[in-house]
Amino acid sequence: MAVHGQFTPVEKRVLSIQSHVCSGYVGNRASTFPLQLLGWDVDVVNTVQFSNHTGYGRWGGYRNSAEVLRDVLDSMAQNKILAQAHILTGYVPGAEALAVVIDVVRKARKENPDLVYLLDPVMGDQGKVYVAPDVIPIYRDMLNLADIITPNAFEVELLTGVRITSLSTLHTALKLLHTTHNLPHVIISSLSLPPFALPSTPPSSSSDPLLYCISSTLLPTSPPTLRVHAITFPEIPGYFSGVGDLFSALILAHFSAPSSPTTYVSSSALPPTMDRLARAAELAVASVQAILIRTQQAASGTEGTDDELDAKDLERRVKRMRARELRLIQSKREIEDPPVVYRAVPVAFDALDGVGPAGETR
């Protein structure tokens, strides 16, 4: 129930600060519909306003300045509509705009120590950085504000300086994230490792390459330990935009509150080796895979990715991007009731040697 125009902490209400496109599904457009389907009110602040995502090679619009973002958020605060118990942030264009986000999160945390902040540190993918160089150290500094982060593998490497090529280097990167920045929860949305590097339970003999989703929770043991799970799933071929934004929204929805009686499992009801983060990852992966399969099927017959041909013929690229927009609306059922096929499997790591309970080196 709202009191004096403010939202009580128990309400399923989230402040989502991300990009916006008029057509297609990335940023807030990829996040809002799934969150609302799962019973959340979503207060949206757009960091950019584009006609379509930049993968088209042609777009119009603008990036909101730090001043515009601050004006929007300050006005929300003055009207007592900036009291959400959950914050989700994605793509933010530049260091000055990120400073505004940091200020908002700190103020929200001061007002509500139980705030849940999910940070998706959108910086790049597959070896390509698409933010300014001065943004990366700011994201590193933001890690200690977050409760959950959802980077892809390349972003983990940017944040930690560790190239993930094995189980050992994965362990090192997770330890750095948890202990250097006192991060409670980390989810690596997609990670490619050599076959059999991690527990694998694929339900079929698919010939597609396998990817891993890694969930990791820092346990308050002495010394601290990690509870890590891996979900193995087949990579769905094709170029898709907005997948990380969709995934982060689903993680927040399933982790933070009962999304629906059929999907939510309380901590007390989970098996001893499972936790809410791993369960949220199972549900998120299930919905995302189903949406990608539907999107791929809808785009069948469209020409495949070919950077050289795209460079010669922009209309070819635009047509391909239009065909591969996520089929979110058509996947309502799979969002509300995720068809879980790929299960979270525990990954055993040793205790974090030499690390104090607050995440500080002894």
Side-chain angles (χ1 to χ4, degrees):
M1 174 182 289
V3 180
H4 302 305
Q6 290 186 318
F7 310 130
T8 61
V10 297
E11 285 191 295
K12 291 169 61 176
R13 195 170 200 112
V14 57
L15 175 67
S16 182
I17 306 176
Q18 302 189 65
S19 61
H20 173 79
V21 291
C22 298
S23 179
Y25 295 99
V26 302
N28 273 324
R29 287 267 294 182
S31 301
T32 303
F33 178 68
L35 282 164
Q36 290 173 330
L37 269 185
L38 294 172
W40 290 75
D41 282 309
V42 187
D43 297 320
V44 171
V45 175
N46 296 325
T47 58
V48 308
Q49 174 84 14
F50 287 164
S51 56
N52 45 267
H53 70 72
T54 59
Y56 280 70
R58 180 174 60 207
W59 68 93
Y62 54 86
R63 294 171 174 82
N64 279 322
S65 67
E67 291 74 19
V68 168
L69 293 177
R70 191 177 298 279
D71 184 50
V72 169
L73 291 161
D74 284 350
S75 297
M76 292 179 71
Q78 291 167 9
N79 289 323
K80 296 182 172 31
I81 52 175
L82 193 63
Q84 298 82 359
H86 302 80
I87 297 178
L88 168 65
T89 63
Y91 176 72
V92 180
E96 292 183 356
L98 272 175
V100 175
V101 172
I102 291 171
D103 187 47
V104 167
V105 173
R106 284 177 174 163
K107 288 179 179 178
R109 182 81 69 189
K110 183 177 180 180
E111 292 293 325
N112 176 20
D114 295 324
L115 172 80
V116 175
Y117 173 36
L118 190 151
L119 166 64
D120 182 6
V122 180
M123 295 180 288
D125 197 6
Q126 297 181 340
K128 182 179 179 181
V129 177
Y130 39 72
V131 295
D134 60 348
V135 166
I136 296 173
I138 296 175
Y139 270 122
R140 291 194 189 109
D141 292 340
M142 291 178 69
L143 295 178
N144 63 2
L145 296 175
D147 299 283
I148 309 171
I149 65 170
T150 55
N152 59 42
F154 179 61
E155 289 161 344
V156 172
E157 293 178 348
L158 290 176
L159 291 170
T160 64
V162 177
R163 187 163 178 266
I164 303 175
T165 59
S166 64
L167 189 61
S168 175
T169 51
L170 171 63
H171 189 195
T172 299
L174 289 174
K175 285 197 295 182
L176 284 171
L177 288 172
H178 282 295
T179 62
T180 302
H181 304 284
N182 205 25
L183 258 171
H185 305 288
V186 175
I187 288 191
I188 304 176
S189 57
S190 61
L191 172 66
S192 178
L193 284 176
F196 312 113
L198 287 171
S200 176
T201 55
S204 68
S205 56
S206 171
S207 60
D208 292 328
L210 294 178
L211 295 174
Y212 299 101
C213 174
I214 306 296
S215 67
S216 181
T217 293
L218 181 62
L219 301 177
T221 55
S222 183
T225 54
L226 302 184
R227 176 176 285 169
V228 181
H229 289 80
I231 303 172
T232 308
F233 57 96
E235 180 180 4
I236 297 173
Y239 179 97
F240 306 99
S241 294
V243 179
D245 308 319
L246 167 65
F247 178 81
S248 295
L250 292 170
I251 290 294
L252 180 65
H254 293 305
F255 176 83
S256 295
S259 300
S260 75
T262 60
T263 62
Y264 182 76
V265 178
S266 67
S267 296
S268 60
L270 291 169
T273 57
M274 177 73 82
D275 55 31
R276 283 170 51 212
L277 189 70
R279 178 57 174 165
E282 281 189 344
L283 297 169
V285 167
S287 291
V288 169
Q289 288 292 101
I291 291 167
L292 289 182
I293 290 171
R294 176 171 278 112
T295 302
Q296 183 191 52
Q297 291 171 344
S300 63
T302 305
E303 293 182 276
T305 302
D306 189 315
D307 292 338
E308 185 175 347
L309 289 177
D310 284 350
K312 294 178 181 178
D313 183 2
L314 180 58
E315 296 306 320
R316 177 187 186 279
R317 180 174 180 173
V318 169
K319 181 181 178 181
R320 186 164 52 82
M321 292 298 104
R322 284 202 308 264
R324 293 184 180 177
E325 292 286 5
L326 296 179
R327 292 329 195 251
L328 278 188
I329 308 305
Q330 297 83 353
S331 303
K332 175 178 179 291
R333 178 184 299 175
E334 289 80 6
I335 294 170
E336 292 180 309
D337 188 10
V340 177
V341 176
Y342 309 103
R343 295 291 181 179
V345 177
V347 179
F349 285 137
D350 294 331
L352 303 183
D353 297 330
V355 179
E360 299 175 350
T361 302
R362 289 196 186 114

